[in-house]
Amino acid sequence: MAAYRSEALEFRGIRLNLLWVPGKGDVSRMPTGHGIYAEVHWPTRSLRIGESQAVRARNLSYIRWANKHFEGTHSPKEAQRRGQIVELVKAWGSKGLEHYLISNDPRPADRELRVECEKFLHEWARQQTEYVNLNTQRGYRTVN
């Protein structure tokens, strides 16, 4: 099975794993704590990058969210959402979607550093040509 991304990046000394292999994304093996992650939808080669203080729970919630859109069981307000990601999950649900841990380095336990790392990766995603970039976030909050 071929890996589609062999590039390794660093941000402020934090190693970022961008080696994503189809069939090897596994939410159940993600840490329960903080992390930076990628969601890859292999059939459309679409990519979304995110950060969370609870990376496994965040990705499991995305799977449920995607499947609710696919099944048409979301609330009316949520069902009216639009955008690339929403259209993708309405068509596919979580089928073909895999989740990969980019980093769970201990330093990004600090949310500000995690968000800075996410910004760096969003810029990388805008420049790369291997995946359809679904990262549309332009504003970043460092405080919830």
Side-chain angles (χ1 to χ4, degrees), residues 69-121:
H69 271 292
F70 181 70
E71 295 160 0
T73 58
H74 264 302
S75 68
K77 181 180 177 183
E78 181 65 26
Q80 290 181 19
R81 286 184 63 178
R82 298 287 176 256
Q84 285 181 294
I85 295 171
V86 176
E87 298 309 315
L88 181 84
V89 298
K90 283 182 178 180
W92 291 86
S94 64
K95 183 179 178 189
L97 185 65
E98 290 192 76
H99 302 260
Y100 299 88
L101 186 65
I102 293 176
S103 178
N104 69 334
D105 184 293
R107 288 167 287 177
D110 169 37
R111 182 140 199 277
E112 276 191 44
L113 183 55
R114 249 189 355 263
V115 169
E116 289 300 315
C117 193
E118 180 187 30
K119 286 182 189 179
F120 172 80
L121 286 163

Side-chain angles (χ1 to χ4, degrees), residues 1-137:
M1 193 170 285
Y4 288 95
R5 168 72 32 212
S6 59
E7 184 175 348
L9 288 179
E10 279 193 14
F11 176 76
R12 295 189 186 175
I14 300 166
R15 187 176 179 282
L16 306 171
N17 176 23
L18 302 178
L19 179 65
W20 308 319
V21 179
K24 299 294 183 185
D26 187 356
V27 174
S28 68
R29 290 190 357 226
M30 285 186 164
T32 57
H34 71 274
I36 302 162
Y37 60 89
E39 297 175 75
V40 178
H41 185 255
W42 289 111
T44 60
R45 298 189 59 77
S46 298
L47 168 66
R48 182 183 171 280
I49 293 169
E51 62 81 22
S52 178
Q53 67 182 2
V55 72
R56 184 189 309 165
R58 171 70 56 103
N59 282 274
L60 287 171
S61 73
Y62 280 142
I63 291 169
R64 288 188 300 274
W65 176 83
N67 288 334
K68 280 185 171 185
H69 271 292
F70 181 70
E71 295 160 0
T73 58
H74 264 302
S75 68
K77 181 180 177 183
E78 181 65 26
Q80 290 181 19
R81 286 184 63 178
R82 298 287 176 256
Q84 285 181 294
I85 295 171
V86 176
E87 298 309 315
L88 181 84
V89 298
K90 283 182 178 180
W92 291 86
S94 64
K95 183 179 178 189
L97 185 65
E98 290 192 76
H99 302 260
Y100 299 88
L101 186 65
I102 293 176
S103 178
N104 69 334
D105 184 293
R107 288 167 287 177
D110 169 37
R111 182 140 199 277
E112 276 191 44
L113 183 55
R114 249 189 355 263
V115 169
E116 289 300 315
C117 193
E118 180 187 30
K119 286 182 189 179
F120 172 80
L121 286 163
H122 283 185
E123 183 57 35
W124 168 85
R126 280 190 281 282
Q127 295 175 18
Q128 59 78 41
T129 58
E130 216 167 321
Y131 299 94
V132 176
N133 179 21
L134 297 181
N135 298 293
T136 58
Q137 185 171 346

